[in-house]
């Protein structure tokens, strides 16, 4: 029984470490490196900062200084990932106290309740992180397949994304888009990324 508890603790702490690494990562959205031969630059976008790099190896990162200019889905993902990290931390502490091989935590019955609480907290942490990652991925895919969304579509997955850029024109005066030609048919719902 103690081996199962130790392996569960190791997996729980490992998952917590992976969750912290994913939350602090700047590679939530990355431009493809093969998108252009002329400009060998790419952009990494994360929850906390945006970075740009080039083929020579230089990177420049710009953190999000204010929460008011960050989009709503990024703020929601931040909140969910921070909640997941917090729950994972407390789940690790509860799991450590609920193990039979530790002397902290009281009687066997109390340790069983603490271990059960740790499992519930780990499950809640996993649900928060899955929800945050799914929300971000859903936003990326809906922006990519939306033919009217032009802002950063070029180069994220297709080499042919420039055809949408050339078929749309941004009206600079009022911020409204107007259509110059029909959008390309390569961005229909059955396209594979």
């Amino acid at each position: 029984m103690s081996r199962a508890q130790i392996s569960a603790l190791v997996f729980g702490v490992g998952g917590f470490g992976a969750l912290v690494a994913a939350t602090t990562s700047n590679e939530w959205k990355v431009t493809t490196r093969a998108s252009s031969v002329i400009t060998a630059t790419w952009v990494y976008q994360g929850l906390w900062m945006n970075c740009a790099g080039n083929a020579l190896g230089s990177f420049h990162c710009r953190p999000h200084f204010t929460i008011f200019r960050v989009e709503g889905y990024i703020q929601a993902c931040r909140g969910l990932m921070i909640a997941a990290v917090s729950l994972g931390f407390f789940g690790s502490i509860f799991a450590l106290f609920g193990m039979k091989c530790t002397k902290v935590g009281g009687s066997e019955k109390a340790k069983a309740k603490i271990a059960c609480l740790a499992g519930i907290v780990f499950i809640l942490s996993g649900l928060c992180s899955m929800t945050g990652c799914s929300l971000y991925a859903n936003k990326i895919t809906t922006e990519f397949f939306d033919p009217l969304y032009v802002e950063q579509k070029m180069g994220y997955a297709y080499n042919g994304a420039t055809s949408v850029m050339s078929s749309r024109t941004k009206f600079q005066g009022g911020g409204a888009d107007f259509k110059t030609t029909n959008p390309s048919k390569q961005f229909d719902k059955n396209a594979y990324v």
Side-chain angles (χ1 to χ4, degrees):
M1 188 66 169
S2 139
R3 284 185 191 175
Q5 286 183 347
I6 290 173
S7 63
L9 178 70
V10 167
F11 284 128
V13 171
F16 170 68
L19 182 62
V20 169
T23 303
T24 60
S25 173
N26 290 329
E27 297 182 10
W28 282 64
K29 184 166 140 182
V30 180
T31 58
T32 60
R33 294 184 182 189
S35 64
S36 177
V37 178
I38 299 169
T39 59
T41 61
W42 49 90
V43 177
Y44 297 107
Q45 294 179 350
L47 297 178
W48 310 105
M49 66 178 61
N50 295 336
C51 298
N54 60 16
L56 299 175
S58 67
F59 287 95
H60 177 70
C61 293
R62 182 183 55 92
H64 301 297
F65 290 117
T66 179
I67 63 169
F68 299 118
R69 297 193 67 177
V70 178
E71 294 184 37
Y73 76 97
I74 294 178
Q75 291 180 6
C77 290
R78 279 181 176 181
L80 286 167
M81 295 302 282
I82 289 172
V85 167
S86 300
L87 287 170
F89 174 75
F90 289 118
S92 299
I93 300 297
F94 292 151
L96 188 63
F97 287 151
M99 292 177 63
K100 287 185 178 181
C101 62
T102 59
K103 300 294 181 191
V104 182
S107 66
E108 292 294 322
K109 194 172 188 179
K111 284 183 176 259
K113 288 181 182 178
I114 292 172
C116 184
L117 177 66
I120 291 170
V121 170
F122 274 132
I123 289 172
L124 289 175
S125 174
L127 287 174
C128 284
S129 65
M130 280 193 324
T131 305
C133 292
S134 298
L135 176 68
Y136 200 91
N138 182 35
K139 184 68 173 175
I140 291 173
T141 54
T142 53
E143 284 176 356
F144 182 78
F145 286 115
D146 184 13
L148 302 177
Y149 184 79
V150 182
E151 186 175 328
Q152 293 177 347
K153 188 177 287 188
M154 184 160 76
Y156 273 103
Y158 283 120
N159 287 339
T162 56
S163 64
V164 172
M165 291 295 288
S166 63
S167 68
R168 304 279 296 151
T169 304
K170 183 92 171 162
F171 178 69
Q172 299 296 329
D177 281 341
F178 63 92
K179 200 172 186 179
T180 57
T181 61
N182 290 333
S184 174
K185 296 294 183 189
Q186 71 182 1
F187 293 111
D188 63 350
K189 298 295 179 192
N190 295 326
Y192 292 101
V193 180

